[in-house]
Amino acid sequence: MVNGSANPAAGRLTIAGLGPGALAQVTPEVAAALQHATDVVGYLPYVARAQALWQQAGAAQPVAWHASDNRVELDRAQQALALAAQGRQVVVVSSGDPGVFAMASAVFEAMEHAAPATSAAWQALDVQVLPGITAMLAAAARAGAPLGHDFCCINLSDNLKPWPVISQRVRLAAEADFAMAFYNPRSRSRPEGFVRLLELLRAHCEPGRLLVFARAVSTPDEQLTVCTLAEAAPEMADMRTVVLVGNSTTRRVGRFTYTPRFYGVPADTSSLGSTP
Amino acid sequence: MVNGSANPAAGRLTIAGLGPGALAQVTPEVAAALQHATDVVGYLPYVARAQALWQQAGAAQPVAWHASDNRVELDRAQQALALAAQGRQVVVVSSGDPGVFAMASAVFEAMEHAAPATSAAWQALDVQVLPGITAMLAAAARAGAPLGHDFCCINLSDNLKPWPVISQRVRLAAEADFAMAFYNPRSRSRPEGFVRLLELLRAHCEPGRLLVFARAVSTPDEQLTVCTLAEAAPEMADMRTVVLVGNSTTRRVGRFTYTPRFYGVPADTSSLGSTP
C-alpha cells in the first residue's frame, strides 16, 4: 500500500493550473512541480503548454508526456492516480484553475469510485492541488473590474447538468443581482445553449446591462468585446470564450468596464475631494 | 495631457494581484511589473510582501514605497492615478486578485469621480490589471475541489452593502444550490455578521452541508478546518479567513472535500471500469 505522505520514495499527484494561456501567468510553484515531474497527464493542448513551460524552466529529468482527448477526464484522472500509486511524480495539468470546471473534481471523482483493490491506496496518496489564474479573472482583468462586487460562476456545458438547472440558476442569479461569469458558452455540438442563455438574460435583465466577451485571453488570439445585452449576439461566443455579465450597477469609465464596490449605500466618496 | 498608450515616456498604472500570501503563488508578470516600478502603492502588509518579491527579483532601480492603512482605498487609488499622470511607473498592489473585492474597482471609481481638470488625463492613462490567485481558489485547492461546480462569491463586509442585500443573496444562492465563497466573514468591528450568516445558512441548507474554513492560506499561519454546518461555530472565522460552503452534493473522499462536476444527471462513470 502506498502512503505518499509517510514514504519519501512514494508517488505524488499534483493537479496544477496553467492559467489562461500565457506562461507569464503561470505561478512559480506550478513551474516547479513540472520540473520535478516524471509524468505529465492532460488534454493535448495543455500538455503542449506544459512542455513549453518545462523547456523554459530547463528541467534536466526526462518526462513521460501523456496527452489525451478532451472527453476522457475520468480516464485521465484514473491514469494519473494509477501512475502515482506506482511511485511516479505525476502532474495533471489543467487550463485556468484546476478547481474551476477542470481536472481537480475529476480526480476526486475517480478516487471516490475506485475499485476496492485500489481505493485505500489512492486515498492515501500525496495529492496536491495548485491553483491557477482562472479564465473569468483573466478576462475581468482585461476589461477593468466587472467582477468587483458579488458574482457567480456558471458552467454552460449542458452534458454536466440539465438545462432547467442552468435556467433556474440564471434566473436566481439575476434576482440576486450577481454579476455572472459563464464558462463553455458555446460548442459546435450544442450551439443552441448560448442562444437560450441570451433569451433568458433578456427576460431578467435590462437591455443596457453590460456584457464582456473575452476570447482566448492572454494568447495571440485574444479578443475582447464589450457591449450591452441589447447588442449581444450568439456569434460573439465560441468554445474559447468566457462571457461576463455585469450586475445592474456595472458601468463604463473611459475604455474600462467595472462594478463598484458599494451597493445600495452611498459610496464613500468623502475623500474624493481631498488632495492625494 | 498625459496619454500613456501613445507616449512611451508617459506614466503607467498597473494594478497587480499578489495572490494569497506565498511568493510561489505570484505570477511572473506581477514580479516583472514590480521590477519596472518607480512607485508601489498599497496597504501596508501588501507593500511589505511586494518588497520581499522585489528583493527576490533583484531589481536595480530604486522604488518609492507608498504604504497606507486599510480603510483608505479611494485615497490610495487617487494617489496612484496622480503619480501615473505625472509620468511615474506605478504598481498598486492587492492581495489575491485585484478584481475580487480589492483595489481594481477602487481605481476605476476614483477615475470615474475624478475632478474635471484631471478626468481626461486619468482615463487616457495606460492602465493594466494583472490577475492573481484569489483567496477562495487558493482555499479550495487546499481542501480538494469544493468549488468544482457552479458557485458564487459574496463579500460579507457590510460597510459595502446593507445586510438585507446580503441576506437575500444568500437565500437565492442556497435556492440555486450554488456552492458559496464568503470573503471578510468577520472583523473586530462587526463580529455579528458571521453569526447571522450561520443562522441564515441553517435556515436554508441541511445540517450536513460541508463548510471549509480556510485561514491565511499559503502563509505560515495557515489553518484549514472542514466541518458540517451543524458543527460550524462563529469563532472558526476571523478577518484572515475565507469560508467556503459546498452545494448539496459536496462530499468527502479520504481527507479531501470536493463537489462533483455532474448535477441532476448520472455521472459519466462508464469509463470507470476500463483499464486506465
Side-chain angles (χ1 to χ4, degrees):
Chain A
M1 179 170 156
V2 175
N3 187 321
S5 314
N7 179 355
R12 164 179 281 212
L13 177 54
T14 304
I15 310 163
L18 297 178
L23 299 189
Q25 291 188 342
V26 183
T27 64
E29 69 177 10
V30 168
L34 285 171
Q35 275 185 288
H36 295 103
T38 58
D39 297 77
V40 173
V41 175
Y43 176 43
L44 189 69
Y46 308 151
V47 168
R49 210 191 294 164
Q51 285 175 323
L53 194 66
W54 178 83
Q55 275 159 0
Q56 190 186 66
Q61 177 178 226
V63 173
W65 304 95
H66 309 273
S68 51
D69 189 19
N70 200 10
R71 295 179 177 268
V72 294
E73 284 88 357
L74 274 176
D75 287 339
R76 200 185 291 150
Q78 288 179 308
Q79 180 187 29
L81 285 159
L83 285 165
Q86 288 161 24
R88 313 280 295 175
Q89 307 297 307
V90 183
V91 177
V92 173
V93 288
S94 256
S95 191
D97 182 278
V100 178
F101 313 136
M103 281 302 295
S105 280
V107 168
F108 296 115
E109 282 164 35
M111 192 186 277
E112 184 179 356
H113 296 284
T118 49
S119 180
W122 285 8
Q123 289 185 27
L125 278 171
D126 182 2
V127 177
Q128 283 208 309
V129 182
L130 302 183
I133 303 292
T134 187
M136 66 177 168
L137 298 184
R142 283 292 201 259
L147 303 178
H149 191 75
D150 301 344
F151 65 94
C152 67
C153 177
I154 295 177
N155 191 347
L156 284 182
S157 174
D158 60 7
N159 61 344
L160 298 174
K161 54 186 176 269
W163 175 257
V165 171
I166 295 176
S167 139
Q168 154 99 330
R169 284 183 182 161
V170 172
R171 186 180 62 72
L172 293 167
E175 194 184 334
D177 205 9
F178 282 125
M180 308 175 208
F182 293 99
Y183 282 69
N184 303 310
R186 206 157 189 254
S187 69
R188 261 166 292 203
S189 63
R190 39 183 177 73
E192 72 290 351
F194 191 64
V195 176
R196 288 196 281 183
L197 177 73
L198 285 180
E199 284 166 10
L200 202 55
L201 289 170
R202 286 182 176 127
H204 296 288
C205 306
E206 70 289 355
R209 183 67 61 102
L210 290 175
L211 273 68
V212 177
F213 291 83
R215 182 171 188 275
V217 167
S218 89
T219 78
D221 304 326
E222 176 172 325
Q223 267 188 305
L224 196 79
T225 308
V226 182
C227 67
T228 64
L229 181 53
E231 294 160 344
E235 305 73 51
M236 292 176 175
D238 69 5
M239 277 183 294
R240 300 179 70 193
T241 308
V242 165
V243 182
L244 309 180
V245 178
N247 75 11
S248 65
T249 73
T250 303
R251 64 193 69 202
R252 283 170 140 163
V253 54
R255 60 194 190 282
F256 308 102
T257 303
Y258 88 98
T259 305
R261 298 166 299 153
F262 294 89
Y263 190 96
V265 292
D268 174 21
T269 50
S270 56
S271 64
L272 284 170
S274 66
T275 308
Chain B
M1 177 171 159
V2 174
N3 187 321
S5 313
N7 178 357
R12 162 179 282 211
L13 176 55
T14 304
I15 310 163
L18 297 177
L23 298 189
Q25 292 189 340
V26 183
T27 65
E29 70 177 7
V30 168
L34 285 170
Q35 275 186 290
H36 296 103
T38 58
D39 297 78
V40 174
V41 175
Y43 175 41
L44 188 69
Y46 308 151
V47 168
R49 211 191 295 164
Q51 285 174 323
L53 194 65
W54 178 84
Q55 276 160 0
Q56 190 187 65
Q61 175 179 228
V63 173
W65 304 94
H66 309 273
S68 52
D69 189 19
N70 199 12
R71 297 182 173 266
V72 294
E73 284 87 357
L74 274 175
D75 288 340
R76 200 185 293 152
Q78 289 180 308
Q79 179 187 28
L81 285 159
L83 285 165
Q86 288 161 25
R88 312 280 294 177
Q89 307 297 308
V90 184
V91 177
V92 173
V93 287
S94 256
S95 192
D97 182 277
V100 178
F101 314 136
M103 282 303 294
S105 280
V107 168
F108 296 114
E109 283 164 34
M111 191 186 277
E112 182 177 358
H113 297 282
T118 50
S119 180
W122 284 9
Q123 289 184 27
L125 277 172
D126 182 1
V127 177
Q128 281 209 310
V129 182
L130 303 183
I133 303 293
T134 187
M136 67 177 166
L137 297 184
R142 283 291 203 259
L147 303 178
H149 190 75
D150 302 345
F151 65 93
C152 68
C153 176
I154 296 176
N155 191 347
L156 283 181
S157 175
D158 60 6
N159 61 342
L160 299 173
K161 54 186 176 273
W163 175 256
V165 171
I166 296 176
S167 135
Q168 154 101 332
R169 285 183 179 160
V170 172
R171 186 180 63 71
L172 293 167
E175 193 183 337
D177 205 9
F178 282 125
M180 309 175 206
F182 294 100
Y183 282 70
N184 303 311
R186 206 157 190 255
S187 71
R188 259 166 293 204
S189 62
R190 42 185 174 73
E192 71 292 350
F194 191 64
V195 176
R196 289 197 280 181
L197 176 73
L198 285 180
E199 285 166 9
L200 203 54
L201 289 170
R202 286 184 175 126
H204 296 287
C205 306
E206 71 290 355
R209 183 66 64 102
L210 290 175
L211 273 69
V212 176
F213 291 84
R215 182 170 187 275
V217 167
S218 88
T219 78
D221 302 327
E222 176 173 324
Q223 269 188 304
L224 195 79
T225 306
V226 181
C227 66
T228 63
L229 182 52
E231 294 161 343
E235 304 75 49
M236 292 177 175
D238 68 6
M239 276 183 295
R240 301 180 69 194
T241 307
V242 166
V243 181
L244 309 180
V245 179
N247 74 10
S248 65
T249 73
T250 302
R251 64 192 70 200
R252 282 171 140 163
V253 53
R255 58 195 190 282
F256 307 103
T257 303
Y258 87 99
T259 304
R261 297 166 301 152
F262 294 89
Y263 190 95
V265 291
D268 174 20
T269 51
S270 57
S271 64
L272 284 170
S274 66
T275 309

